[in-house]
Amino acid sequence: MTAHPVDETRPVDETHPVDERLPALKTATSGLQHVAAMYAGVVAPPLIVGAAIGLTGTELTFLTGACLFTAGLATFLQTLGIWKIGARLPFVNGVTFAGVAPMTAIVASTHDKSDALPIIFGAVMVAGLLGFLAAPVFCKAVRFFPPVVTGSVITLIGVSLLPVAFGWAQGPNPAAPDYGSTTNLTLAGITLVVVLLLRRFTRGFVKQVAVLLGLIAGTLIAIPFGATDFGPVAHAEVVGFPTPFHFGAPRFQLAAILSLCVVMVVSMTESTADMLALGEIVERPADEKTIAAGLRADTLGSALSPLFNGFMCSAFAQNIGLVAMTRVRSRFVVATGGGFLALMGMCPMAASLIAVVPRPVLGGAGVVLFGSVAASGIQTLVRAGLDQDNNVLVVAVSLAVGIVPITAPDFYHAFPDTARTVLDSGISTGCVTAVLLNLVFNHLGRSPDAPDVAHPVEAGQEIAAVR
C-alpha cells in the first residue's frame, strides 16, 4: 500500500489540495485566519504561568512573545517538514494547555520563584527528547483507530473545545463585573451572525475568509461599547527577539521531569487523535508513517522550544475546525500562519494587533470553528457501523467518559495531581476508552465468521476504511 491512498475521483497528475500552492493574497489572509483562531490558546499558558511566578509586565510580554515565536517554528516543522519529521498536513502547533496545571504546580513548589522557569524548561526539554525517541513506537497505536474510535474522538475534540468558546464569549476575566454581561454576549452573537451570513451569502475567496472578516467586523463593532482596547498596541515595542535562555539555563529536577513526561504522553495521544481527524477532513488519511512524523515534529518542537524560552508544543485542535469549515487544505497556508506567529514573536507590536480583538468576538467565531470539528466527528461516525449494538456501546461510553471533565470539572478531585493531568483531559480519557471498548466488543473473543465491523486497522491501511 502507498502511504496515502489515491483519491480515485482526482486525476493522478493533479496536485492534492494539501500540497497546493495558492495565490499570495489568499495564502496570507487564510494563514492569518489560523493565527487569529489559535492566538488566545497560545498566549494563555505563558500569561497564567508568568502571573503565578510574579513576572513583571515586560517579562510577561517577553515570555508571551517567546511562545508565539516557538509556535511558529513548531508549525514550520509540522507543515513543511524535514527528513522524517513533520506530518506535512495543514497542522498548527503551539503551546499545549495540558501543561498549565503541572507547570503552575512546579511554580508553587519552588521556593525561589526565579528558579521556576529554568526547572520547567529543563523538564520540557527532557520530556520532548524522550517523546521524540518514542514516536516510532507510539504511532503504532494508529491501527487501533477504526472509524468508530476516530469518530468518537473527533466528536470529543469539538465538544471539549466548545466550553473554551463559551468562556471567551463571556469576557476575558471571570472575576470582572462585566463577565457574562449582555454586552459581551451580544458582541459574540453579532460575530457569529456575521460569520454565518458571510458563509451563506458569499462565495469564493470572501466565503473562505469569513472567520477573519467576522473577527474584524466584531472588533470594529466592539469599539463603541468600549470593549476594544488599543492599549497593547500603544505600549508595545517594535522589535523584541526572544534571546536564548533569557530566564536562565535549564535545570533538571526529577519530579518536574516526571510530571511533564505525563503531559507529553497526554499531548502525543491528543496529537494522534488530531492527526487522524485532520487526515479525514483533508482526505489524506494519516497512517503510521504520517503520525510518527507528526509526533516527531511535536516532540522535537517541544525539546527546542525552551531554547527560546517557550513551553511544550502540541497540535491545536481548534484549527482543524477552520480547515473543515473553509475547505482550504493547503499546508503552505498553515506554514504561512506559522510565519506570522514567528514574526509576531519577534515584533511585540504586531502581536498586540491580534490582542486587540475582544475575547467575546473570539468566542463568537469559536462557536463555528469548534462546532465544525464536532460535526466532522459525527460525519465519521455515520460510516462507523452504528447499526451494530457493539459500536453504539463503544460510542456511548467513550463520549460519556470524555465529557466528564467538561460537565463535572471536579469529578477527579480526590486523585493525585499526576493522575489528574491525564483524567482531566476528556480527549485522552475518551480516546483510551474508545480504543479499549472497541477491542473488547469488536475484537477479543469474536468468532472468525463474525462480520468485521470495527477491527483494528492494519499498518498502512486507510484509517477510514471499514473492514
Side-chain angles (χ1 to χ4, degrees):
M1 296 286 286
T2 57
H4 300 298
V6 177
D7 184 351
E8 295 180 358
T9 64
R10 183 183 296 110
V12 176
D13 59 346
E14 184 178 336
T15 302
H16 192 284
V18 169
D19 300 316
E20 187 178 5
R21 295 178 183 270
L22 304 178
L25 179 60
K26 186 174 182 180
T27 298
T29 52
S30 298
L32 192 58
Q33 272 198 132
H34 279 283
V35 174
M38 53 92 74
Y39 178 83
V42 173
V43 301
L47 290 176
I48 295 171
V49 175
I53 295 173
L55 297 181
T56 65
T58 302
E59 291 173 329
L60 201 56
T61 299
F62 184 93
L63 183 64
T64 303
C67 288
L68 288 168
F69 180 75
T70 54
L73 297 184
T75 300
F76 283 147
L77 274 178
Q78 195 66 269
T79 55
L80 303 179
I82 54 172
W83 185 57
K84 297 181 180 180
I85 301 170
R88 293 171 174 81
L89 291 172
F91 221 33
V92 176
N93 274 44
V95 181
T96 175
F97 210 89
V100 171
M103 288 191 293
T104 52
I106 292 172
V107 172
S109 63
T110 304
H111 178 70
D112 186 349
K113 301 305 180 187
S114 64
D115 293 334
L117 281 176
I119 291 173
I120 290 172
F121 292 151
V124 170
M125 292 177 73
V126 174
L129 291 174
L130 291 177
F132 184 85
L133 296 175
V137 177
F138 198 93
C139 73
K140 295 186 182 299
V142 67
R143 67 185 63 192
F144 300 111
F145 287 82
V148 69
V149 174
T150 58
S152 300
V153 175
I154 296 168
T155 304
L156 272 176
I157 291 172
V159 172
S160 297
L161 288 170
L162 281 172
V164 176
F166 301 150
W168 289 347
Q170 295 179 81
N173 183 9
D178 66 341
Y179 187 74
S181 65
T182 55
T183 298
N184 287 345
L185 297 183
T186 299
L187 289 174
I190 290 174
T191 303
L192 173 60
V193 170
V194 170
V195 173
L196 292 177
L197 290 176
L198 290 172
R199 291 290 299 175
R200 175 61 181 86
F201 295 107
T202 62
R203 60 181 61 188
F205 175 71
V206 174
K207 185 175 182 178
Q208 291 175 339
V209 296
V211 173
L212 179 60
L213 295 177
L215 291 173
I216 294 173
T219 301
L220 294 176
I221 293 171
I223 294 176
F225 293 94
T228 304
D229 180 15
F230 291 96
V233 178
H235 298 96
E237 296 181 0
V238 177
V239 179
F241 185 79
T243 310
F245 298 132
H246 176 81
F247 295 98
R251 297 179 57 183
F252 305 97
Q253 188 182 88
L254 182 59
I257 291 172
L258 292 176
S259 178
L260 289 185
C261 279
V262 172
V263 175
M264 179 57 72
V265 173
V266 172
S267 175
M268 292 173 73
T269 301
E270 294 186 356
S271 288
T272 298
D274 289 344
M275 277 183 270
L276 291 168
L278 186 59
E280 293 285 334
I281 291 170
V282 302
E283 299 177 354
R284 176 178 278 182
D287 56 13
E288 285 187 15
K289 181 180 178 181
T290 300
I291 292 175
L295 292 177
R296 288 191 188 98
D298 269 5
T299 53
L300 181 60
S302 295
L304 295 177
S305 185
L307 174 65
F308 297 103
N309 313 284
F311 297 143
M312 186 179 293
C313 294
S314 179
F316 263 54
Q318 50 261 56
N319 292 82
I320 297 175
L322 188 58
V323 174
M325 192 188 72
T326 64
R327 303 302 295 169
V328 176
R329 294 175 279 180
S330 171
R331 60 191 174 101
F332 299 106
V333 164
V334 177
T336 301
F340 283 127
L341 287 170
L343 287 175
M344 288 192 303
M346 295 185 291
C347 180
M349 182 172 288
S352 66
L353 289 174
I354 291 186
V356 167
V357 179
R359 200 64 59 85
V361 173
L362 284 174
V367 170
V368 179
L369 295 177
F370 306 157
S372 297
V373 177
S376 297
I378 295 171
Q379 288 177 330
T380 303
L381 287 174
V382 167
R383 61 175 186 273
L386 293 186
D387 56 325
Q388 302 289 326
D389 290 341
N390 286 350
N391 286 344
V392 172
L393 288 174
V394 172
V395 174
V397 177
S398 59
L399 288 180
V401 171
I403 292 173
V404 165
I406 303 172
T407 57
D410 296 326
F411 189 81
Y412 301 110
H413 73 276
F415 285 76
D417 290 340
T418 302
R420 291 193 62 180
T421 300
V422 179
L423 296 174
D424 284 343
S425 171
I427 298 173
S428 296
T429 54
C431 178
V432 172
T433 301
V435 170
L436 293 178
L437 290 180
N438 177 61
L439 289 175
V440 171
F441 283 97
N442 293 320
H443 185 57
L444 299 178
R446 285 177 61 90
S447 167
D449 298 328
D452 291 338
V453 176
H455 275 203
V457 178
E458 299 298 338
Q461 182 180 358
E462 181 180 349
I463 302 302
V466 181
R467 290 172 44 192

